[in-house]
Amino acid sequence: MRVMGVDPGLTRCGVGVVDGAVGRSLALSGAGVVRTGADADLPERLLGIEHGIEDWLDRYRPDAVAVERVFAQHNVSTVMGTAQASAIAITCAARRGLPVALHTPSEAKAAITGSGRADKAQVQTMVARLLGLDAAPKPADAADAAALAICHIWRGGARDRIAQAQQDLARKVELARRTRPTPETPGR
Amino acid sequence: MRVMGVDPGLTRCGVGVVDGAVGRSLALSGAGVVRTGADADLPERLLGIEHGIEDWLDRYRPDAVAVERVFAQHNVSTVMGTAQASAIAITCAARRGLPVALHTPSEAKAAITGSGRADKAQVQTMVARLLGLDAAPKPADAADAAALAICHIWRGGARDRIAQAQQDLARKVELARRTRPTPETPGR
């Protein structure tokens, strides 16, 4: 499974593409940032983000996209731009019919370090370790995007297992129903 | 000049298309809302906004798009969705090479009522009056979008006059320079 993680931002939008599956080793296919100039106006910047994300999707063709969930509580000065950049990334993926998942920074940190309150250095150390690299991708936004992708591969795996278990259960119930038919419930 | 105003929102994204120019009468070409279901997930909703806005742009082919500027201070529970819907509208317009302007709610209110703190009823009364209608377009989001479009036509007009005055001045300076050449400034 190939997942593209996106750490949204107007100035630096982190992107990290990771291949892997639950219980298998992970590999980084690509990581970097889509940049737009702080001197450009908002329409130009959003268009720049769109072109950049489209380019990553064209080059790496992921199976799913994981975008950081943005909260209004965070850093008020940049949160609007972050929300807007995330909307562009989500829409680019949805337009292609790709599944899009939103994970909070805490979920990503907890997935790869075991703690939702891990600091930047700890996240980067674990990103490098899990991907079998000497160092985490640079800049930090690219490493955070890779962390989101890893989080999604692992959480997606967990969700898949729950879905599988539910299907198995449904199959057993169906089988039981067929082999031992229940009497008709009398109408009211 | 035809301006499409957009009052962004995930549940109801207001759209109002107004034809007019400074000093001429205004006319409403169309007004309504792009709706997305609160039960749908975010990627689906953003895609719905994109399809809706594209449809309005295709049908009305405006010369410019005016989108409400969103502030992080406002209503925290809905501001993220509003910011994300605005990003989609801005990008749809920018992708077509249309000029996009952002106006604050206060600017729109001040433009059409004379007060940046006018209430909803006052805005709707003036939208109806300025557009020569018996009543403002419904729902309120459509009327707010029309107010943004009117604001843009009038402010755009003011900007055009300033730009024209600057060009006139530059032309006079150039003419003066040519008719009475200044002596060369000695090099240091």
Side-chain angles (χ1 to χ4, degrees):
Chain A
M1 182 189 202
R2 171 169 285 188
V3 176
M4 184 167 121
V6 178
D7 181 26
L10 277 184
T11 305
R12 283 185 311 276
C13 186
V15 185
V17 183
V18 178
D19 295 308
V22 178
R24 306 231 193 115
S25 64
L26 301 161
L28 184 73
S29 287
V33 287
V34 175
R35 292 176 195 273
T36 72
D39 51 337
D41 62 6
L42 184 62
E44 205 181 319
R45 299 186 82 176
L46 292 176
L47 213 52
I49 299 286
E50 180 172 73
H51 288 159
I53 294 293
E54 289 288 352
D55 189 44
W56 276 87
L57 290 170
D58 282 342
R59 273 191 287 154
Y60 289 94
R61 309 212 158 272
D63 302 306
V65 174
V67 181
E68 187 179 293
R69 190 186 291 276
V70 187
F71 289 105
Q73 297 89 304
H74 290 172
N75 197 346
V76 170
S77 66
T78 60
V79 76
M80 304 309 291
T82 306
Q84 294 181 312
S86 80
I88 301 305
I90 291 167
T91 306
C92 287
R95 214 186 283 137
R96 293 174 185 231
L98 294 175
V100 183
L102 303 175
H103 301 296
T104 65
S106 306
E107 284 168 350
K109 285 175 185 175
I112 69 161
T113 73
S115 164
R117 285 174 295 172
D119 63 17
K120 282 250 170 230
Q122 202 178 339
V123 169
Q124 297 197 12
T125 300
M126 286 307 296
V127 165
R129 188 168 299 161
L130 294 167
L131 295 174
L133 304 170
D134 292 335
K138 295 255 183 298
D141 311 80
D144 287 343
L148 276 162
I150 297 170
C151 168
H152 184 70
I153 289 170
W154 287 351
R155 287 172 67 98
R159 271 200 301 274
D160 289 350
R161 282 198 304 278
I162 291 166
Q164 188 61 52
Q166 284 172 334
Q167 277 177 18
D168 289 350
L169 182 65
R171 207 176 303 123
K172 280 175 194 167
V173 169
E174 176 66 16
L175 199 68
R177 199 188 60 76
R178 284 192 193 167
T179 48
R180 182 169 51 80
T182 52
E184 295 240 329
T185 313
R188 289 199 292 173
Chain B
M1 182 189 201
R2 170 168 286 188
V3 176
M4 183 169 123
V6 178
D7 181 25
L10 277 184
T11 305
R12 285 184 310 278
C13 186
V15 185
V17 183
V18 178
D19 294 309
V22 179
R24 305 231 192 116
S25 63
L26 301 162
L28 185 72
S29 287
V33 286
V34 175
R35 292 176 196 273
T36 73
D39 51 336
D41 62 5
L42 183 62
E44 205 182 317
R45 299 186 81 177
L46 293 176
L47 213 53
I49 299 284
E50 180 172 73
H51 289 160
I53 294 292
E54 289 288 352
D55 189 44
W56 276 87
L57 291 170
D58 282 342
R59 274 191 287 153
Y60 290 94
R61 310 212 157 273
D63 302 307
V65 175
V67 181
E68 187 179 294
R69 190 186 291 277
V70 187
F71 288 106
Q73 298 90 302
H74 291 172
N75 198 345
V76 170
S77 66
T78 60
V79 75
M80 304 309 290
T82 307
Q84 293 180 313
S86 80
I88 301 305
I90 292 167
T91 306
C92 287
R95 215 186 282 136
R96 293 174 186 232
L98 294 175
V100 183
L102 303 175
H103 300 296
T104 66
S106 305
E107 284 168 350
K109 286 175 184 176
I112 70 161
T113 73
S115 165
R117 284 174 295 173
D119 64 18
K120 283 250 171 230
Q122 202 180 339
V123 168
Q124 296 197 13
T125 300
M126 286 308 296
V127 164
R129 187 169 300 162
L130 294 168
L131 294 174
L133 304 170
D134 292 333
K138 294 254 183 299
D141 312 81
D144 287 344
L148 276 163
I150 297 170
C151 168
H152 185 70
I153 289 170
W154 287 351
R155 287 172 66 98
R159 272 202 300 276
D160 290 350
R161 283 199 301 278
I162 292 166
Q164 189 60 51
Q166 284 173 334
Q167 278 178 16
D168 290 350
L169 182 65
R171 206 175 305 123
K172 282 175 193 165
V173 169
E174 176 67 16
L175 199 69
R177 199 188 60 77
R178 285 193 193 167
T179 47
R180 182 169 51 81
T182 50
E184 296 240 329
T185 314
R188 287 202 289 172

